Amino acid sequence: MSKAFTKETDADPDDGPEDDVAPPIPAGAKNYITPEGLARLQAELRELKTVERPKVVEVVSWAAGNGDRSENGDYLYGKKRLREIDRRIRFLLKRLEIAEMVDPALQKNRAQVFFGATVTYIDQHDSERTVRIVGIDEARLEQGEISWIAPVARALLKAREGDVVDLRTPQGIEQIEVLKISY
């Protein structure tokens, strides 16, 4: 079908789902987030609204004034990028609205693993790892931050130094030992 007979608001099939895909929050659970994670998401939202979106709108406006939009790469890419930015803004607004900040520094019981803890553990293969348990929306594996709903985090929650806990993996149950807890 010719592009002349399609609405500009129709989404391209390669645009993906309507909202960003993030791990769902378990039913009945809250969207916990650390102060650092909350600040990072708010900064991203601010950047999208005040810097990136206005730049893209300017390019799209300029490109629209150049005539034929059906073959105008700046216009087509700009419109697609605007949809991506708007989708991310909607996602961030929804998640920030339901976020509940938990400051790990205020944790009174520092002998057990709770939200916000940094935990060093050793697995059956004598591999030592350090992870920090954070919110769903702020987890960054490359930084050693894992979501509190991740299998490793769930196994570690409420454990104490020296405890050996069971971790369910696709290969079966693996035992890991908690070496150190810090907040």
Side-chain angles (χ1 to χ4, degrees), residues 148-165:
W148 65 273
I149 64 169
V152 172
R154 286 187 169 219
L156 291 170
L157 285 173
K158 297 188 181 173
R160 297 175 183 276
E161 287 182 10
D163 284 357
V164 176
V165 295

Side-chain angles (χ1 to χ4, degrees), residues 42-182:
Q42 288 171 335
E44 180 185 355
L45 179 62
R46 202 171 26 260
E47 174 81 11
L48 287 172
K49 283 181 158 182
T50 60
V51 178
E52 192 157 349
R53 191 174 195 291
K55 282 183 186 175
V56 175
V57 166
E58 186 178 322
V59 169
V60 169
S61 296
W62 169 81
N66 288 339
D68 185 16
R69 296 176 185 175
S70 66
E71 296 179 9
N72 187 331
D74 287 331
Y75 178 80
L76 295 174
Y77 172 76
K79 291 292 282 185
K80 182 175 181 178
R81 182 68 186 130
L82 270 178
R83 286 191 300 273
E84 292 168 356
I85 291 169
D86 289 343
R87 185 178 309 121
R88 182 68 180 165
I89 287 172
R90 280 191 310 274
F91 173 80
L92 288 171
L93 287 171
K94 283 184 207 172
R95 287 302 186 116
L96 287 171
E97 185 178 297
I98 61 171
E100 186 169 318
M101 188 181 69
V102 176
D103 191 350
L106 302 177
Q107 179 59 254
K108 290 179 176 71
N109 185 357
R110 294 175 174 264
Q112 275 186 293
V113 177
F114 292 107
F115 182 84
T118 300
V119 183
T120 302
Y121 67 90
I122 191 165
D123 64 17
Q124 291 176 335
H125 310 289
D126 291 332
S127 295
E128 188 174 301
R129 295 194 175 107
T130 301
V131 295
R132 181 169 180 236
I133 301 171
V134 296
I136 296 167
D137 298 324
E138 61 180 317
R140 299 178 300 183
L141 192 56
E142 66 278 359
Q143 304 288 330
E145 296 176 339
I146 60 172
S147 166
W148 65 273
I149 64 169
V152 172
R154 286 187 169 219
L156 291 170
L157 285 173
K158 297 188 181 173
R160 297 175 183 276
E161 287 182 10
D163 284 357
V164 176
V165 295
D166 292 336
L167 169 64
R168 294 182 188 278
T169 68
Q171 292 78 28
I173 294 180
E174 184 178 319
Q175 292 191 325
I176 56 177
E177 180 182 353
V178 179
L179 300 177
K180 182 180 175 192
I181 302 169
S182 62

